[in-house]
Amino acid sequence: MGKQRDLSTGIVAQIQALRQQGLTQTKIAEQLGISQSSVCKALKKNCSKRTNCSGVRKTSARDNKQLRKIAVSNRFKSTSELTDLWNKQTGADVSRSTTYRRLRELGFKSRVPVVKPMLNKKQMEKRLKWAKEHSEWTAEDWQKVVFSDESRFCISFGDQGPRVWRRGGETYNHECVKRSVKFPQSVMVWGCMSARSVGKLCFLKKTVNAAVYQDILETFLIPTVEEQFGEEDFIFQQDLAPAHAAKSTKDWFTKKQLEVLAWPANSPDLNVIENLWAIVKRKIHDRKPTTLDQLKQNIATAWEAVSAETCDKLVKSMPRRLQAVIQAKGAATKY
């Protein structure tokens, strides 16, 4: 690679003037249309175009410790915002690139955050209490539980999706753009499972109120438990959706003499069927359905293909899930 020519006296003067105005090296480089390394070298009196000007660290161990505190207190700030806070609190004069390097050295990495339900203090207390009350249940106890839930499946899967490899100027090229629709086609599904197998699957055609929910239970839950448990006792799990907690639904359970497991609010991490939905969604995502009929068929096929071993493995994770909730003092867990 050929050597770059030294910056003109005029450019060097502009760099020094902008630096005196408080601009970072990155911002100076962007404004003048030159590289940051050129700005760095121009600001170093004893640094020529052929020498390394990065030998002297601009931050001390104390500065780095302060950056760690800032990062922990501002998890969702951008690198530029953290740089501004760091410079303001320590009196340092560092660039965004320096902040990024120090964050990496401190073990911080920018990642897409995991999405979890918002839990208030009261809900966390109830989750913790519930986990402690059931902490002595064994895997065998949990094998008597039938877990249930509803889930939405879309033809367009999520907003994150795969990344794309592209070059400069290709941002809006046809083959580099991810297509989206305003209202993606989707279907709501109700399902249940136990350690023994998956249950009957129901494609919901309308909003689920108490009456619709009871019909679902009559048509899909009852045949499932008769097939899987026969005359054996079982416990039914459901979340606290309005249709589930309605008085008429409670009366239905009483009439059918079915035991319902008390359940803490906003606790999908405790419901093993959530992991089963994720497994099914991954399978149908690879098949890339383009119509609702294809989507439904793929869901049904993937659901029926779930093995008894997979169900049993998920249910056996319940004791660990409870311990995770206890350790988190009721807060969200990794599950």
Side-chain angles (χ1 to χ4, degrees):
M1 182 180 293
K3 298 178 182 178
Q4 295 180 341
R5 292 185 300 174
D6 291 339
L7 298 176
S8 67
T9 304
I11 293 295
V12 173
Q14 291 183 56
I15 291 173
Q16 294 173 343
L18 292 172
R19 188 61 166 174
Q20 290 175 358
Q21 295 175 20
L23 271 67
T24 64
Q25 293 180 15
T26 301
K27 292 180 180 178
I28 293 173
E30 291 175 352
Q31 185 166 328
L32 297 180
I34 58 179
S35 67
Q36 183 183 339
S37 62
S38 296
V39 174
C40 172
K41 292 173 183 177
L43 292 172
K44 294 287 186 179
K45 294 181 180 180
N46 298 323
C47 184
S48 70
K49 290 294 289 184
R50 300 186 185 92
T51 60
N52 178 15
C53 60
S54 61
V56 180
R57 293 175 69 91
K58 296 188 64 175
T59 61
S60 64
R62 185 175 181 179
D63 292 334
N64 297 340
K65 185 177 180 180
Q66 184 64 26
L67 177 60
R68 181 189 291 109
K69 292 181 180 179
I70 293 172
V72 170
S73 301
N74 300 273
R75 296 282 188 179
F76 290 89
K77 295 286 188 182
S78 67
T79 307
S80 296
E81 291 172 321
L82 293 176
T83 301
D84 292 339
L85 288 172
W86 195 20
N87 285 333
K88 184 181 298 184
Q89 292 185 24
T90 64
D93 186 17
V94 299
S95 66
R96 177 187 177 279
S97 297
T98 298
T99 303
Y100 177 79
R101 289 195 299 271
R102 297 298 180 272
L103 287 170
R104 297 280 293 187
E105 291 170 6
L106 292 169
F108 292 96
K109 295 181 180 180
S110 178
R111 293 288 185 265
V112 177
V114 176
V115 179
K116 291 287 185 179
M118 182 176 292
L119 293 166
N120 57 41
K121 183 178 179 181
K122 187 175 181 180
Q123 289 171 336
M124 287 192 289
E125 290 173 350
K126 288 185 176 181
R127 277 167 53 88
L128 179 59
K129 180 182 178 182
W130 186 89
K132 289 180 176 179
E133 290 174 348
H134 295 80
S135 61
E136 295 185 2
W137 280 33
T138 64
E140 289 70 27
D141 292 322
W142 289 109
Q143 287 176 348
K144 300 177 182 178
V145 177
V146 176
F147 295 88
S148 70
D149 190 34
E150 296 90 17
S151 185
R152 181 179 296 278
F153 288 77
C154 298
I155 290 180
S156 175
F157 292 89
D159 297 324
Q160 184 65 23
R163 295 175 180 268
V164 61
W165 289 100
R166 68 188 185 210
R167 294 165 295 190
E170 294 183 336
T171 302
Y172 298 102
N173 280 18
H174 178 78
E175 57 273 9
C176 296
V177 175
K178 178 184 175 182
R179 274 72 185 172
S180 66
V181 293
K182 190 171 183 180
F183 301 107
Q185 289 183 298
S186 64
V187 60
M188 281 292 293
V189 182
W190 178 92
C192 63
M193 62 160 286
S194 71
R196 305 184 181 193
S197 180
V198 295
K200 306 294 183 183
L201 200 63
C202 174
F203 291 97
L204 306 176
K205 298 180 180 179
K206 51 186 174 181
T207 303
V208 178
N209 55 28
V212 172
Y213 183 57
Q214 292 158 35
D215 184 60
I216 293 171
L217 297 176
E218 187 74 52
T219 307
F220 297 91
L221 173 64
I222 297 301
T224 293
V225 295
E226 287 179 347
E227 179 180 314
Q228 293 189 13
F229 291 89
E231 298 299 323
E232 298 178 42
D233 292 333
F234 71 93
I235 304 173
F236 180 64
Q237 179 277 334
Q238 60 178 2
D239 60 25
L240 301 181
H244 304 176
K247 183 179 182 303
S248 61
T249 301
K250 294 179 180 179
D251 293 341
W252 185 90
F253 283 115
T254 301
K255 180 181 178 181
K256 296 291 183 178
Q257 298 182 330
L258 299 181
E259 182 180 354
V260 179
L261 180 64
W263 197 253
N266 277 1
S267 299
D269 54 344
L270 290 172
N271 194 349
V272 296
I273 200 173
E274 294 285 353
N275 300 85
L276 202 56
W277 292 134
I279 291 172
V280 173
K281 287 179 179 179
R282 283 197 297 271
K283 288 183 177 180
I284 65 176
H285 180 270
D286 295 337
R287 298 178 182 179
K288 294 180 174 56
T290 57
T291 68
L292 276 182
D293 287 339
Q294 288 179 2
L295 178 62
K296 291 179 181 180
Q297 182 58 52
N298 289 346
I299 293 171
T301 301
W303 180 261
E304 293 170 1
V306 175
S307 67
E309 290 77 14
T310 297
C311 294
D312 184 57
K313 184 178 179 180
L314 287 173
V315 172
K316 284 181 177 177
S317 72
M318 282 303 297
R320 298 194 299 273
R321 292 170 188 258
L322 298 186
Q323 287 303 314
V325 171
I326 293 172
Q327 291 176 4
K329 298 181 179 179
T333 67
K334 67 177 183 178
Y335 292 98

